[in-house]
Protein backbone atom coordinates (compact mmCIF):
# COMPACT_ATOMS: atom_id res chain seq x y z
CA UNK A 1 0.00 0.00 0.00
CA UNK A 2 1.08 3.51 -0.75
CA UNK A 3 0.57 6.51 1.52
CA UNK A 4 -0.76 9.52 -0.30
CA UNK A 5 -0.29 12.99 1.15
CA UNK A 6 -3.62 14.75 0.77
CA UNK A 7 -2.96 17.84 2.86
CA UNK A 8 0.42 19.11 4.01
CA UNK A 9 0.46 22.30 6.06
CA UNK A 10 4.10 22.13 7.16
CA UNK A 11 5.18 24.47 4.37
CA UNK A 12 2.55 27.00 5.42
CA UNK A 13 3.65 26.75 9.06
CA UNK A 14 7.33 27.14 8.14
CA UNK A 15 6.52 30.17 5.98
CA UNK A 16 4.49 31.72 8.79
CA UNK A 17 7.27 31.19 11.32
CA UNK A 18 9.84 32.64 8.91
CA UNK A 19 7.60 35.67 8.35
CA UNK A 20 7.66 36.35 12.10
CA UNK A 21 11.27 35.34 12.88
CA UNK A 22 12.83 37.43 10.10
CA UNK A 23 11.22 40.72 11.23
CA UNK A 24 12.13 39.83 14.83
CA UNK A 25 15.80 39.63 13.91
CA UNK A 26 15.51 42.87 11.97
CA UNK A 27 13.88 44.54 14.99
CA UNK A 28 16.75 43.41 17.22
CA UNK A 29 19.36 44.75 14.79
CA UNK A 30 17.47 48.04 14.40
CA UNK A 31 17.13 48.36 18.18
CA UNK A 32 20.88 47.86 18.61
CA UNK A 33 21.61 50.51 15.95
CA UNK A 34 19.24 53.00 17.61
CA UNK A 35 20.78 52.22 21.00
CA UNK A 36 24.24 52.92 19.65
CA UNK A 37 23.10 56.24 18.18
CA UNK A 38 21.70 57.37 21.53
CA UNK A 39 24.18 55.78 23.95
CA UNK A 40 27.25 56.61 21.81
CA UNK A 41 29.16 53.83 23.46
CA UNK A 42 29.96 50.45 22.00
CA UNK A 43 30.25 48.79 25.42
CA UNK A 44 26.94 50.18 26.70
CA UNK A 45 25.23 49.13 23.50
CA UNK A 46 26.81 45.68 23.72
CA UNK A 47 25.57 45.22 27.31
CA UNK A 48 22.02 46.10 26.29
CA UNK A 49 22.31 44.01 23.12
CA UNK A 50 23.26 40.99 25.23
CA UNK A 51 20.21 41.48 27.43
CA UNK A 52 17.84 41.08 24.47
CA UNK A 53 18.69 37.48 23.46
CA UNK A 54 19.11 36.48 27.10
CA UNK A 55 15.58 37.69 27.92
CA UNK A 56 14.22 35.99 24.80
CA UNK A 57 15.98 32.73 25.67
CA UNK A 58 14.59 32.73 29.21
CA UNK A 59 11.12 33.55 27.82
CA UNK A 60 11.33 30.65 25.37
CA UNK A 61 12.34 28.31 28.20
CA UNK A 62 9.36 29.45 30.28
CA UNK A 63 7.08 28.95 27.29
CA UNK A 64 8.44 25.43 26.83
CA UNK A 65 7.96 24.47 30.46
CA UNK A 66 4.43 25.91 30.46
CA UNK A 67 3.54 23.89 27.37
CA UNK A 68 3.23 26.71 24.83
CA UNK A 69 4.24 25.94 21.29
CA UNK A 70 5.84 28.37 18.90
CA UNK A 71 2.99 29.65 16.77
CA UNK A 72 1.77 32.95 15.35
CA UNK A 73 0.30 34.15 18.64
CA UNK A 74 3.33 33.34 20.81
CA UNK A 75 5.77 34.70 18.24
CA UNK A 76 3.71 37.87 17.92
CA UNK A 77 3.72 38.23 21.70
CA UNK A 78 7.47 37.70 21.74
CA UNK A 79 7.93 40.26 18.97
CA UNK A 80 5.89 42.80 20.94
CA UNK A 81 7.83 41.92 24.07
CA UNK A 82 11.17 42.49 22.32
CA UNK A 83 10.17 46.08 21.77
CA UNK A 84 9.71 46.53 25.50
CA UNK A 85 12.65 44.34 26.61
CA UNK A 86 15.36 46.97 26.45
CA UNK A 87 13.58 49.61 28.53
CA UNK A 88 14.44 48.17 31.94
CA UNK A 89 18.04 47.43 31.00
CA UNK A 90 18.59 50.95 29.66
CA UNK A 91 17.26 52.56 32.84
CA UNK A 92 19.51 50.43 35.05
CA UNK A 93 22.55 50.90 32.80
CA UNK A 94 22.12 54.67 32.67
CA UNK A 95 21.90 54.85 36.45
CA UNK A 96 25.02 52.69 36.83
CA UNK A 97 26.74 54.93 34.27
CA UNK A 98 25.85 58.05 36.30
CA UNK A 99 27.40 56.51 39.41
CA UNK A 100 30.52 55.62 37.43
CA UNK A 101 30.80 59.21 36.19
CA UNK A 102 30.79 60.33 39.83
CA UNK A 103 33.89 58.15 40.42
CA UNK A 104 32.16 55.23 42.12
CA UNK A 105 33.96 51.91 41.90
CA UNK A 106 32.48 49.57 39.26
CA UNK A 107 31.04 47.06 41.73
CA UNK A 108 29.60 49.77 43.99
CA UNK A 109 28.12 51.62 41.01
CA UNK A 110 26.51 48.42 39.76
CA UNK A 111 24.94 47.58 43.10
CA UNK A 112 23.75 51.11 43.88
CA UNK A 113 22.58 51.80 40.33
CA UNK A 114 20.51 48.62 40.12
CA UNK A 115 19.21 48.90 43.69
CA UNK A 116 18.10 52.48 43.18
CA UNK A 117 16.15 51.67 40.02
CA UNK A 118 14.77 48.27 41.06
CA UNK A 119 11.58 49.68 42.56
CA UNK A 120 10.88 51.99 39.64
CA UNK A 121 11.39 49.45 36.89
CA UNK A 122 9.48 46.81 38.84
CA UNK A 123 6.51 49.14 39.20
CA UNK A 124 6.71 50.12 35.53
CA UNK A 125 6.92 46.51 34.37
CA UNK A 126 4.12 45.33 36.64
CA UNK A 127 1.76 48.05 35.40
CA UNK A 128 2.29 46.78 31.87
CA UNK A 129 1.90 43.17 33.03
CA UNK A 130 -1.42 44.13 34.67
CA UNK A 131 -2.80 45.09 31.27
CA UNK A 132 -2.45 41.50 30.06
CA UNK A 133 -3.44 39.73 33.30
CA UNK A 134 -7.20 39.90 32.65
CA UNK A 135 -6.68 37.96 29.43
CA UNK A 136 -4.90 35.27 31.43
CA UNK A 137 -7.11 35.24 34.53
CA UNK A 138 -10.45 35.32 32.73
CA UNK A 139 -9.58 33.23 29.68
CA UNK A 140 -12.35 30.71 30.50
CA UNK A 141 -14.99 33.44 30.85
CA UNK A 142 -13.96 35.24 27.68
CA UNK A 143 -14.48 32.08 25.65
CA UNK A 144 -12.95 31.91 22.20
CA UNK A 145 -11.07 35.20 22.63
CA UNK A 146 -9.53 33.89 25.86
CA UNK A 147 -8.31 30.76 24.16
CA UNK A 148 -7.01 32.69 21.19
CA UNK A 149 -5.12 35.38 23.12
CA UNK A 150 -4.01 33.54 26.28
CA UNK A 151 -0.72 32.32 24.77
CA UNK A 152 -0.14 35.83 23.37
CA UNK A 153 -0.70 37.40 26.80
CA UNK A 154 1.40 34.77 28.59
CA UNK A 155 4.29 35.34 26.21
CA UNK A 156 4.22 39.10 26.73
CA UNK A 157 4.03 38.68 30.52
CA UNK A 158 6.90 36.18 30.44
CA UNK A 159 9.06 38.45 28.29
CA UNK A 160 8.42 41.50 30.48
CA UNK A 161 9.20 39.62 33.69
CA UNK A 162 12.33 38.16 32.10
CA UNK A 163 13.46 41.62 31.04
CA UNK A 164 13.00 42.78 34.63
CA UNK A 165 15.06 39.86 35.92
CA UNK A 166 17.82 40.48 33.37
CA UNK A 167 17.88 44.22 34.13
CA UNK A 168 18.19 43.67 37.87
CA UNK A 169 20.56 40.68 37.81
CA UNK A 170 22.52 40.51 34.53
CA UNK A 171 23.06 44.16 33.55
CA UNK A 172 24.68 45.19 36.87
CA UNK A 173 27.01 42.18 36.85
CA UNK A 174 28.19 42.70 33.29
CA UNK A 175 28.38 46.48 33.81
CA UNK A 176 30.62 46.08 36.83
CA UNK A 177 33.09 44.13 34.72
CA UNK A 178 32.97 45.83 31.31
CA UNK A 179 31.55 49.36 31.64
CA UNK A 180 34.61 51.60 31.56
CA UNK A 181 34.39 55.35 31.94
CA UNK A 182 37.02 57.26 30.03
CA UNK A 183 38.40 60.20 31.97
CA UNK A 184 38.79 63.40 30.02
CA UNK A 185 42.10 65.14 30.53
CA UNK A 186 41.81 68.80 31.44
Amino acid sequence: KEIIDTDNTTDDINNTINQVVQPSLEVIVLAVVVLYIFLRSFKSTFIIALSIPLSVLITLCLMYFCGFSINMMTLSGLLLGIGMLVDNSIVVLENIFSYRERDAKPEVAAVLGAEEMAGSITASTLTTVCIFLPLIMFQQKIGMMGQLFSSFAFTIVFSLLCSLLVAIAFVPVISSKYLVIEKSSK
Side-chain angles (χ1 to χ4, degrees):
K1 294 190 176 193
E2 184 179 329
I3 297 176
I4 299 172
D5 186 15
T6 58
D7 188 26
N8 185 357
T9 61
T10 57
D11 292 334
D12 293 335
I13 293 169
N14 285 332
N15 288 337
T16 302
I17 289 174
N18 287 334
Q19 287 176 353
V20 174
V21 169
Q22 184 65 30
S24 300
L25 295 174
E26 292 170 1
V27 164
I28 291 172
V29 170
L30 184 61
V32 169
V33 169
V34 169
L35 282 171
Y36 183 75
I37 290 169
F38 283 101
L39 295 176
R40 294 186 185 122
S41 166
F42 178 74
K43 288 186 179 184
S44 297
T45 303
F46 184 69
I47 291 168
I48 301 298
L50 280 178
S51 70
I52 296 171
L54 183 60
S55 297
V56 170
L57 181 65
I58 297 170
T59 302
L60 289 172
C61 288
L62 283 173
M63 288 171 50
Y64 173 77
F65 289 121
C66 289
F68 291 113
S69 64
I70 295 178
N71 55 40
M72 272 305 280
M73 294 309 286
T74 56
L75 283 175
S76 297
L78 194 58
L79 185 61
L80 184 60
I82 288 172
M84 295 185 263
L85 282 177
V86 296
D87 296 345
N88 294 334
S89 295
I90 289 173
V91 169
V92 171
L93 183 71
E94 283 298 316
N95 203 37
I96 292 169
F97 189 81
S98 71
Y99 273 102
R100 292 285 288 131
E101 283 183 324
R102 291 182 266 163
D103 292 329
K105 292 182 180 178
E107 293 81 10
V108 173
V111 170
L112 291 176
E115 187 178 274
E116 194 173 276
M117 290 292 114
S120 300
I121 64 173
T122 301
S124 173
T125 301
L126 291 179
T127 56
T128 307
V129 165
C130 288
I131 293 170
F132 296 99
L133 280 181
L135 282 173
I136 295 169
M137 293 183 338
F138 302 114
Q139 67 181 344
Q140 299 298 326
K141 293 183 180 182
I142 301 173
M144 184 65 132
M145 290 295 283
Q147 289 177 346
L148 185 63
F149 287 106
S150 67
S151 61
F152 177 75
F154 267 113
T155 304
I156 291 174
V157 168
F158 287 160
S159 67
L160 290 174
L161 293 177
C162 289
S163 75
L164 179 64
L165 175 71
V166 167
I168 292 174
F170 175 74
V171 170
V173 170
I174 200 87
S175 296
S176 70
K177 301 295 180 197
Y178 298 108
L179 186 63
V180 178
I181 304 296
E182 296 173 6
K183 301 285 184 191
S184 60
S185 58
K186 293 183 180 180

